Amino acid sequence: MRAARATDPEAGVIRFQPHQRIEHLVLIVTFIALAVTGLVQRYYSVGLSQWLISVMGGIETTRLIHRGFALVLTLGIAYHLAWLDYRLFTRHARPSMLPTFQDFRDIVNELKRGLGLKAAPTHFGRYDYRQKFEYVGLICGSLILIVTGFILAYPVAVTRLFDGQVVAAALEFHGYEATLAVLVILIWHLWDVVFKPGIFPGDTSIFTGRISPERLREEHYLEYAELTRKAPAGE
Amino acid sequence: MRKILVLTAALFAIALAVFFAKSAAEASAPLSMTEAADAACNGCHAGGNLAISLPSGEKMSLKVDPTLLAGSVHRQLACTSCHQTLTGYPHPPSDIPSVREYQLSREDLCWGCHADKVAEMQESVHRKDVSRPDVATCADCHGAHDVQAPAAAATRLGSVTACNGCHANERLMDRYGISTGVIQAFYDDFHGKTVALAGLKSGAANVEVAVCADCHGAHNILRADAAGSMVAAANLPDTCGRCHEGANANFTSAWLSHREPDLGEAPLVFLARWFYRIMIPFIVVGLLAHVILDARRARRKGEAK
């Protein structure tokens, strides 16, 4: 996998393609916009929510912004799934972002190490189990939010085919799934990529597309070993 | 020189004409009879704390803020249009037994102009049994001197507060077996949120949002389980369809009738809610535990170095 280009001691190892970095940037903006314009509606009685809604120009405008970014998210997820389909089924790339049994063994091993029990260091591949959890969570969560959001935006059309209870249930799914997504990002993602000791003040690899060989070796040993095997030292 | 004189004279004439025309216009709009009479009423009733004690023991304020009336839909009426017996001073002695009796006695006056509302009002659940002490009077919902146009944004949004005046009163609602939870259920759903938030925008508030009366009716309001009720199952597609074009019977069940979802009536909603209510705390605790273990390990590593 582009091993020859991948190791350049000066700039670091290429980890993300430009289109992946753009995807992430678009996702940051979209996620924040949707979370803010959505949560203020869910927790509408809170003073901060009402202040934000009036700053955005009222509830109607807030809903319009929410639906606008919902369209961006839908297109982004559709693009990502199309790209995934091409990578996995046309180019037969390894699904390195999907969880395997090894990830569960890794979780147990990391838990032991976290508790201070005796355990060998865990060697991760291209993505560790947390990154996989966040990735799968993001894709599944987005799909749930997109489908239920569509139901909420077009209830008359949806109830031509389905029982009205689907609309009420969509509101439950949409609100709770969004709350869960925001909690995961705030608690876990920001810890992992901003606040964790050794990472603070931030992991830049998703923005620059590169990771230092030291960090690659430390955090993704199996990938590092594979890359260095393909591109022997000295090249 | 003569030219200048003529011009000056002409200008003077024009100025005079304009001046007289203006004062003539002013003179043609003198204080009308009603305004003059209202001014006389306001002399006593506009300020102070004028009040009378009723035989019921209640104290009834006789103060009328002129700005309330001026801001109402009845602003073109004179005081005596409604208070027809109070044309002179001293007023005839009061025969008002209680505030409620007074409100009820005033209704004939409302119906004198609004005759079209009488029949449906007398059939409505709020009026059907007029012997009950709780029946709603015109003033209970519309107010008195501050009656607003029903289609105005502020009136529509404020109408929910008028309904809540009784429907949030648990003691009152218990008599009729109605839950006061209906209000919170309304606010927690899409329509209610919009009502709660519509006033936040500067300028005209959105009025295209369902308030209580849009689904339940106003003067024609019936028990929710009455066959003719706007919210009866058979009539709901029409009621919803007034805003949601094309709404069918399926659509109407999207609204859970002001009820908390339960396993029997809305199992999908109930299960979705409790699935997340149980799962989210588990996940959050798991994430936090992970972060704490991470931080502790990083500290141990730092100490070992």
Side-chain angles (χ1 to χ4, degrees):
Chain A
M1 294 207 305
R2 294 194 181 88
R5 255 182 64 199
T7 42
D8 172 4
E10 287 293 306
V13 183
I14 291 181
R15 186 159 172 78
F16 297 111
Q17 301 298 317
H19 81 106
Q20 293 176 305
R21 287 145 59 189
I22 293 169
E23 260 187 309
H24 184 257
L25 280 176
V26 171
L27 185 64
I28 291 178
V29 175
T30 311
F31 186 91
I32 293 174
L34 285 170
V36 169
T37 54
L39 289 180
V40 294
Q41 293 182 64
R42 181 161 169 76
Y43 303 103
Y44 70 97
S45 57
V46 178
L48 178 65
S49 301
Q50 304 202 347
W51 180 76
L52 282 166
I53 289 171
S54 53
V55 165
M56 286 186 280
I59 180 64
E60 299 293 301
T61 326
T62 305
R63 285 186 176 139
L64 200 66
I65 297 170
H66 192 76
R67 284 167 195 183
F69 278 101
L71 185 64
V72 177
L73 180 73
T74 307
L75 295 175
I77 292 289
Y79 165 78
H80 186 82
L81 292 180
W83 173 80
L84 207 62
D85 178 71
Y86 168 75
R87 289 289 300 162
L88 295 184
F89 300 111
T90 305
R91 301 294 301 266
H92 300 290
R94 261 183 308 175
S96 53
M97 74 298 283
L98 293 182
T100 61
F101 277 116
Q102 182 59 41
D103 290 300
F104 292 98
R105 287 194 281 270
D106 288 351
I107 292 173
V108 173
N109 200 51
E110 281 291 283
L111 202 61
K112 279 187 192 164
R113 280 160 54 84
L115 292 170
L117 302 174
K118 247 192 160 127
T122 326
H123 293 314
F124 297 114
R126 179 162 168 79
Y127 299 109
D128 65 36
Y129 63 88
R130 303 177 211 216
Q131 293 167 326
K132 291 180 179 182
F133 172 85
E134 283 186 40
Y135 173 79
V136 173
L138 174 78
I139 298 294
C140 293
S142 298
L143 289 175
I144 291 175
L145 286 164
I146 288 168
V147 170
T148 55
F150 179 86
I151 294 172
L152 292 173
Y154 303 101
V156 177
V158 169
T159 51
R160 287 220 177 95
L161 299 172
F162 299 100
D163 187 73
Q165 204 197 138
V166 166
V167 179
L171 188 61
E172 297 290 322
F173 274 105
H174 201 81
Y176 279 115
E177 186 63 37
T179 304
L180 178 61
V182 169
L183 286 172
V184 170
I185 294 298
L186 284 183
I187 297 172
W188 227 18
H189 191 59
L190 289 189
W191 166 259
D192 261 353
V193 300
V194 177
F195 295 108
K196 193 156 79 176
I199 297 293
F200 191 80
D203 182 350
T204 54
S205 62
I206 193 68
F207 302 110
T208 62
R210 289 167 188 276
I211 186 171
S212 71
E214 296 76 39
R215 266 194 63 206
L216 189 67
R217 191 190 160 129
E218 172 100 348
E219 295 172 20
H220 304 283
Y221 183 78
L222 298 178
E223 188 190 14
Y224 175 83
E226 194 178 336
L227 286 176
T228 43
R229 205 167 48 243
K230 277 186 186 169
E235 189 183 290
Chain B
M1 189 66 192
R2 264 191 53 195
K3 252 187 190 165
I4 293 171
L5 266 177
V6 169
L7 207 66
T8 314
L11 278 176
F12 186 68
I14 292 170
L16 265 182
V18 169
F19 176 73
F20 279 112
K22 212 175 149 206
S23 22
E26 275 166 7
S28 74
L31 211 55
S32 71
M33 286 297 284
T34 59
E35 279 169 329
D38 281 1
C41 302
N42 288 342
C44 293
H45 290 276
N49 288 316
L50 207 57
I52 50 167
S53 295
L54 304 179
S56 63
E58 293 163 293
K59 210 167 178 191
M60 190 165 85
S61 169
L62 302 178
K63 185 185 168 185
V64 180
D65 184 348
T67 56
L68 276 187
L69 193 62
S72 89
V73 73
H74 288 153
R75 66 180 79 83
Q76 78 282 16
L77 297 183
C79 300
T80 49
S81 308
C82 297
H83 301 280
Q84 288 158 347
T85 58
L86 306 179
T87 48
Y89 189 85
H91 301 317
S94 154
D95 57 352
I96 302 168
S98 68
V99 172
R100 177 148 198 94
E101 288 293 321
Y102 179 65
Q103 285 185 346
L104 282 168
S105 72
R106 302 303 292 162
E107 293 194 327
D108 284 336
L109 200 80
C110 305
W111 292 342
C113 292
H114 301 281
D116 55 322
K117 298 292 186 280
V118 178
E120 48 183 32
M121 186 71 201
Q122 282 173 340
E123 284 303 306
S124 85
V125 68
H126 286 150
R127 282 303 289 232
K128 203 162 183 165
D129 187 357
V130 81
S131 66
R132 281 193 183 270
D134 310 319
V135 291
T137 67
C138 302
D140 282 331
C141 302
H142 293 278
H145 298 108
D146 56 345
V147 179
Q148 298 296 318
T155 318
R156 286 177 49 73
L157 297 175
S159 69
V160 179
T161 321
C163 302
N164 292 353
C166 292
H167 283 266
N169 183 334
E170 248 171 73
R171 205 167 45 84
L172 194 59
M173 288 302 109
D174 275 351
R175 286 186 208 157
Y176 302 95
I178 298 173
S179 164
T180 53
V182 295
I183 296 163
Q184 196 55 44
F186 169 72
Y187 279 122
D188 282 345
D189 203 73
F190 196 84
H191 299 137
K193 276 181 194 179
T194 314
V195 167
L197 299 171
L200 293 176
K201 192 168 68 172
S202 52
N206 171 39
V207 291
E208 290 178 348
V209 55
V211 295
C212 310
D214 289 310
C215 303
H216 292 277
H219 301 103
N220 58 344
I221 198 162
L222 298 180
R223 281 181 64 97
D225 53 10
S229 163
M230 283 171 68
V231 294
N235 302 329
L236 260 182
D238 280 342
T239 304
C240 297
R242 290 163 63 188
C243 295
H244 300 276
E245 205 182 325
N248 59 15
N250 273 350
F251 177 85
T252 64
S253 58
W255 169 244
L256 302 180
S257 312
H258 294 276
R259 276 196 287 268
E260 283 280 299
D262 60 39
L263 257 180
E265 297 218 5
L268 194 57
V269 187
F270 179 86
L271 291 174
R273 178 175 290 188
W274 283 101
F275 168 70
Y276 279 105
R277 280 187 178 174
I278 292 165
M279 185 183 72
I280 289 179
F282 265 101
I283 291 189
V284 167
V285 167
L287 297 181
L288 284 174
H290 211 117
V291 167
I292 290 165
L293 288 181
D294 242 16
R296 279 181 50 193
R297 204 163 93 192
R299 206 175 59 196
R300 275 205 304 275
K301 213 161 120 188
E303 282 165 2
K305 266 183 192 170

